[in-house]
């Protein structure tokens, strides 16, 4: 007895595609024109680019013998009345099933050039992939486009598109499609040259008069030419005798990477846990943890002598390449999150183990050795572009920021209207709320908050 499942033949369908100037009410008007024919709605897709609408509706074909012709005539009359163009095509069934090998391809450019898109699309086709959907995630400070691709082997596609990224000076990320992308719930970042601009140890070295020597060692360590732990001890030894007050000076002068506040604020709104792990020092990382409301922080602690000067030594175990990966796992375990559901961001060779351990490892303005080994690389100077790799759009970020600003400023505005406070007081209350950012390019600013000397993994209170 043959028990194989026999699928019914595909039903007759009608694809209606509308083109023209976008305005409120077009979609409602189209479905009102379809309503008298009592046809089932199978699919709807719509896109608007620079005010021009493309609206596609797939419906079941009318069952009456003259139904398809009557539907076609009615739709052309409707389009003429609405001053729109319409195409009506009869056929069978729905979209074909998407093939295996489904991936999200995200491309970033500032600017994003046609040559980059041509090379990207060409390589997808060469890998036997099909582009099923394209959507823009952001238009500034970078252009971010996401493509849903099926039919291409993900590892091969990633390899081929990595070459395109290098040749076309664009950032291209390839990630498996599916629930795993939405499951990312812990983001862990390096600090120096990732969350903040520059290297803290070099700022200390400048005050100690040994900048050139320390900077040279730092660059060799970040390129992977030196053992990180040994190089850190060597650099810290050069700081011996520096007044500990320099730590506070450096902490106060730290500038966040453009986009850092936006990245952290948006992730926290979405329920992510955010941590930092650094080969730098707790005098800076603990302050960042408190200011940004981070959930975890781990770094090295400089030893301070009884005379109030640096001894040239580090207290406890050094947070090195292996230590960063261990910290990622420890953060994830303490939060009850699988390591596969984490994102790690870094720029140096000492971040490689952490990037490899995470579900998604992102090289941010990184050294070549890191870009080559990470899952994906971002080379634009805005940290919040990481959000686009998670499928979050710039518009969604800005709407959330505007809503929060309205909530924060409402009490101050109400007080001002009622005359319950002075003008200067109302202005001060309003200014204390969140500040909207323009592309996050002007976000850099000094950090503040108490310093701490603990190098333990510290969940924020």
């Amino acid at each position: 007895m043959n028990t194989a499942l026999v699928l019914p033949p595909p039903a007759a369908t009608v694809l209606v595609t509308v083109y023209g100037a976008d305005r409120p009410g077009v979609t409602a008007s189209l479905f009102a024109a379809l309503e008298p024919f009592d046809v089932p709605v199978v699919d709807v897709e719509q896109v608007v680019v620079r005010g021009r609408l493309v609206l596609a509706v797939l419906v079941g074909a009318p069952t009456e013998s003259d139904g398809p012709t009557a539907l076609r005539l009615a739709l052309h009359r409707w389009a003429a009345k609405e001053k729109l163009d319409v195409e009506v095509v009869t056929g069978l069934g729905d979209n074909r099933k998407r093939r295996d090998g489904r991936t999200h391809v995200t491309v970033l450019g500032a600017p994003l050039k046609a040559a980059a898109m041509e090379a990207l699309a060409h390589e997808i086709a060469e890998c036997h992939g099909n582009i099923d959907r394209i959507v823009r995630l952001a238009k500034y400070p970078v252009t971010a486009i996401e493509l849903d691709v099926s039919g291409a082997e993900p590892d091969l596609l990633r390899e081929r598109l990595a070459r395109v990224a290098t040749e076309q000076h664009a950032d291209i990320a390839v990630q498996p499609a599916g629930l795993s992308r939405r499951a990312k719930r812990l983001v862990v970042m390096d600090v120096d040259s990732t969350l903040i601009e520059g290297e803290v140890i070099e700022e200390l070295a400048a005050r100690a008069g040994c900048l050139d020597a320390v900077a040279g060692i730092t660059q060799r360590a970040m390129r992977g030419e030196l053992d990180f732990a040994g190089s850190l001890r060597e650099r810290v030894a050069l700081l011996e005798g520096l007044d500990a007050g320099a730590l506070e000076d450096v902490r106060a002068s730290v500038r966040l990477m453009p986009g850092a506040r936006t990245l952290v604020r948006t992730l926290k709104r979405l329920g992510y846990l955010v941590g930092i792990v650094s080969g730098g020092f707790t005098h800076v990382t603990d302050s960042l943890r408190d200011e940004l409301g981070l959930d975890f922080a781990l770094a090295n602690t400089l030893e301070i002598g009884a005379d109030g000067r640096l001894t040239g030594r580090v207290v406890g175990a050094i947070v090195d390449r292996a230590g960063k990966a261990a910290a990622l796992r420890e953060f994830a375990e303490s939060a009850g999150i699988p390591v596969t559901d984490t994102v790690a961001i870094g720029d140096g060779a000492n971040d490689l183990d952490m990037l490899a351990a995470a579900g998604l490892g992102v090289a941010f303005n990184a050294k070549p050795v890191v870009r080559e080994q990470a899952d994906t690389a971002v080379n634009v100077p805005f940290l919040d572009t990481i959000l686009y790799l998670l499928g979050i759009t710039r518009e969604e970020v800005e709407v959330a920021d505007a809503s929060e600003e309205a909530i924060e400023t409402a009490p101050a505005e109400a007080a001002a209207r009622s005359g319950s406070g002075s003008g200067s007081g109302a202005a001060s209350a309003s200014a204390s709320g969140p500040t909207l950012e323009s592309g996050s390019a002007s976000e850099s600013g000094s950090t503040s908050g108490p310093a701490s000397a603990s190098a333990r993994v510290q969940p924020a209170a």
Side-chain angles (χ1 to χ4, degrees), residues 61-74:
T63 56
E64 298 82 359
S65 59
D66 63 344
T69 300
L71 177 61
R72 183 187 301 273
L73 291 173

Side-chain angles (χ1 to χ4, degrees), residues 387-430:
L387 295 170
Y388 309 145
L389 304 183
L390 302 176
I392 300 165
T393 70
R394 168 62 60 182
E395 184 178 27
E396 290 170 330
V397 173
E398 291 179 344
V399 168
D401 282 344
S403 299
E404 184 169 309
E405 183 187 39
I407 293 171
E408 293 288 339
T409 59
E413 292 171 353
R417 285 195 298 270
S418 66
S420 61
S422 65
S424 61
S428 174
S430 177

Side-chain angles (χ1 to χ4, degrees), residues 14-18 29-35 37 57 59 68-82 84-89:
V14 179
L15 176 60
V16 181
T17 310
V18 177
S29 178
L30 172 60
F31 281 103
L34 291 169
E35 183 178 1
F37 295 89
V57 177
V59 297
T69 300
L71 177 61
R72 183 187 301 273
L73 291 173
L75 289 172
H76 280 290
R77 286 194 295 268
W78 167 83
K81 177 183 176 182
E82 296 288 342
L84 296 167
D85 295 321
V86 66
E87 179 184 72
V88 182
V89 179

Side-chain angles (χ1 to χ4, degrees), residues 47 108 132 134 146 166 199 209 224 289 309 366 368 412 433 442:
V47 64
L108 312 176
D132 301 318
I134 303 176
E146 182 172 275
T166 301
E199 300 285 330
R289 179 198 61 200
R309 296 183 178 275
S442 60

Side-chain angles (χ1 to χ4, degrees), residues 139-158:
K139 61 181 179 181
Y140 72 90
V142 301
T143 300
I145 305 293
E146 182 172 275
L147 303 88
D148 288 351
V149 176
S150 62
E153 199 282 313
D155 289 338
L156 175 62
L157 186 62
R158 183 179 293 111

Side-chain angles (χ1 to χ4, degrees), residues 133-186:
R133 177 176 175 268
I134 303 176
V135 64
R136 184 177 69 180
L137 299 177
K139 61 181 179 181
Y140 72 90
V142 301
T143 300
I145 305 293
E146 182 172 275
L147 303 88
D148 288 351
V149 176
S150 62
E153 199 282 313
D155 289 338
L156 175 62
L157 186 62
R158 183 179 293 111
E159 178 185 339
R160 300 283 285 269
L161 293 185
R163 291 202 297 268
V164 171
T166 301
E167 294 167 357
Q168 299 295 331
H169 306 289
D171 296 334
I172 301 175
V174 179
Q175 301 178 66
L179 295 177
S180 61
R181 190 188 199 196
R182 297 185 179 92
K184 301 290 189 291
R185 279 294 173 260
L186 169 64

Side-chain angles (χ1 to χ4, degrees), residues 14 19 34 52 72 95 112 191 227 246 259 290 363 381 388 390 403 431:
V14 179
Y19 313 89
L34 291 169
R52 301 297 293 181
R72 183 187 301 273
N95 290 334
L112 179 60
V191 176
D227 169 73
D290 295 340
Y388 309 145
L390 302 176
S403 299

